[in-house]
């Protein structure tokens, strides 16, 4: 297992070596979109309906919270929660502005074919404007404001794909992917949704059963992530704002997180200007961990949202 601390996380393979390994890993031409239009795919159809579907009015919130909501940014985004069940039906849940959700709205079907998905904010305004979804055959699809396109194949080499936001290269949200040997890779995104060849963040990430994050968790303006290890300990990785070395050494948040089988963040859920975290326990109850901006312990005590969330196979 690789060392998970210090600048070893930020070591980047040089030029030709990085490109060669990236091609071997992903088997995809990240520089340009792959042939074939996905405009009629279930992901593209759901994305279009999500983008045009009226947002439910949030419940009343304190004036200071409403002001924070108006100032939503890439550091404290406000995304809806997208959730696909095992029958392939996909729903959109809007935040109610108080740390919970309104009723889910059906936006599509046919999602049995997708094994990973993540939302992105490529224009940096704090709202989702696109999704990356992985097909069962390993093809990665982008659908969003920048158009619909197939990024390429070979993404079954990765067992975790997520986007915490811009990790330092520009406005666009970047994509993290962990390969099956435990290496974590950072794919810098372009404005059109295509991806650059990746930087190798570091080895040893296979000790984690989940990795999550959306926006800034500690108040320094950089996107951060958390990772849950096999013993149920949660670790915080502070963002550096540099895409080639995106995270500082890990800091222990606490133990007992093996009660949860899914971690996900959609950003700021209570309109206080800080990103929050969601955790689903093994009985299907969803819990909110409110972000507090603390450098070492970024979450307040949990608050119950509700049950029945175990029917979903994808949540992002």
């Amino acid at each position: 297992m690789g060392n998970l601390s210090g600048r070893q996380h930020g070591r980047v393979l040089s030029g030709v070596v990085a490109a060669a390994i990236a091609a071997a890993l992903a088997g995809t031409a990240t520089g340009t979109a792959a042939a074939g239009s996905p405009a009629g795919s279930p992901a593209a159809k759901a994305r279009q309906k999500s983008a045009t579907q009226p947002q439910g009015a949030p419940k009343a919130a304190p004036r200071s919270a409403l002001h924070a909501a108006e100032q939503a940014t890439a550091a404290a985004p406000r995304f809806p929660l997208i959730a696909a069940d095992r029958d392939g039906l996909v729903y959109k849940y809007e935040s109610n502005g108080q740390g919970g959700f309104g009723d889910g709205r059906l936006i599509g079907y046919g999602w049995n074919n997708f094994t990973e998905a993540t939302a992105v904010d490529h224009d940096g305004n704090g709202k989702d404007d696109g999704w990356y979804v992985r097909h069962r055959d390993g093809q990665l699809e982008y659908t969003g404001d920048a158009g619909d396109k197939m990024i390429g194949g070979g993404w079954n080499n990765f067992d975790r794909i997520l986007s915490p936001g811009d990790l330092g290269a520009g406005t666009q949200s970047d994509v993290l992917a962990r390969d099956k040997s435990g290496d974590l890779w950072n794919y810098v995104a372009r404005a059109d949704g295509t991806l650059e060849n990746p930087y190798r963040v570091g080895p040893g990430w296979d000790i984690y059963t989940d990795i999550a994050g959306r926006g800034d968790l500690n108040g320094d303006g950089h996107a951060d992530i958390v990772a849950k290890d096999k013993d149920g300990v949660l670790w915080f990785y502070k963002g550096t704002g540099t895409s080639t070395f995106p995270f500082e050494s890990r800091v222990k948040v606490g133990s007992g997180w093996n009660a949860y089988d899914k971690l996900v963040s959609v950003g700021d859920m209570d309109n206080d200007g800080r990103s929050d975290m969601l955790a689903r326990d093994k009985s299907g109850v969803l819990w909110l961990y409110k972000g507090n901006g603390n450098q070492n312990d970024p979450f307040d005590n949990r608050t119950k949202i509700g049950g029945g969330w175990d029917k979903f196979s994808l949540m992002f």
Side-chain angles (χ1 to χ4, degrees):
M1 181 186 71
N3 186 349
L4 294 175
S5 62
R7 292 188 174 268
Q8 286 181 329
H9 264 187
R11 288 178 182 166
V12 181
L13 299 184
S14 61
V16 175
V17 178
I21 291 181
L25 275 173
T28 176
T30 54
T32 58
S37 171
S41 79
K45 289 179 179 179
R47 171 62 200 164
Q48 183 179 23
K49 189 167 184 179
S50 174
T52 57
Q53 191 178 69
Q55 179 173 332
K59 296 179 181 179
R63 183 176 300 275
S64 59
L66 290 174
H67 178 72
E70 293 169 357
Q71 302 301 316
T73 65
R78 293 194 66 214
F79 287 10
L81 177 65
I82 308 299
D85 67 19
R86 291 170 180 82
D87 294 323
L89 301 178
V90 61
Y91 298 85
K92 176 182 180 182
Y93 291 87
E94 294 283 0
S95 170
N96 63 13
Q98 296 180 316
F101 294 106
D103 293 336
R105 298 177 181 177
L106 181 67
I107 58 173
Y109 57 90
W111 277 59
N112 315 66
N113 187 45
F114 302 131
T115 56
E116 280 280 85
T118 189
V120 292
D121 169 24
H122 278 343
D123 63 8
N125 69 351
K127 300 177 181 179
D128 75 313
D129 52 32
W131 303 338
Y132 290 94
V133 297
R134 183 181 65 190
H135 295 242
R136 288 194 183 278
D137 65 1
Q139 290 282 331
L140 188 70
E141 175 184 344
Y142 168 81
T143 179
D145 292 357
D148 304 319
K149 60 203 71 174
M150 299 303 292
I151 300 300
W155 286 79
N156 279 340
N157 288 308
F158 302 110
D159 60 12
R160 188 73 178 94
I161 299 169
L162 71 150
S163 176
D166 171 30
L167 294 175
T171 302
Q172 292 78 30
S173 296
D174 303 320
V175 176
L176 293 174
R178 182 182 63 185
D179 68 34
K180 293 178 182 178
S181 67
D183 285 347
L184 189 67
W185 300 80
N186 178 26
Y187 285 83
V188 174
R190 299 188 180 98
D192 65 356
T194 58
L195 304 172
E196 300 279 358
N197 287 326
Y199 296 101
R200 183 174 179 262
V201 178
W205 289 77
D206 50 344
I207 70 166
Y208 297 120
T209 59
D210 209 349
I211 306 170
R214 175 81 64 201
D216 176 22
L217 294 173
N218 68 344
D220 65 358
H222 301 312
D224 311 303
I225 61 173
V226 295
K228 181 186 68 172
D229 70 23
K230 295 175 182 178
D231 294 324
V233 177
L234 191 71
W235 300 88
F236 172 58
Y237 282 90
K238 178 182 175 181
T240 65
T242 303
S243 58
T244 57
F245 170 51
F247 305 114
E248 293 190 3
S249 301
R250 66 182 190 172
V251 175
K252 184 177 179 180
V253 175
S255 58
W257 288 77
N258 49 5
Y260 304 117
D261 62 8
K262 180 65 177 177
L263 302 179
V264 64
S265 176
V266 294
D268 178 15
M269 288 189 56
D270 57 358
N271 297 349
D272 68 351
R274 298 191 183 100
S275 282
D276 308 306
M277 186 66 59
L278 297 168
R280 183 184 67 188
D281 69 27
K282 294 177 182 178
S283 65
V285 175
L286 195 64
W287 300 86
L288 171 69
Y289 281 86
K290 181 178 176 181
N292 59 26
N294 189 297
Q295 295 287 321
N296 297 321
D297 184 10
F299 305 119
D300 287 342
N301 292 332
R302 68 180 189 173
T303 301
K304 184 177 180 179
I305 292 178
W309 293 85
D310 50 342
K311 72 177 182 178
F312 295 116
S313 55
L314 281 179
M315 297 171 65
F316 66 96

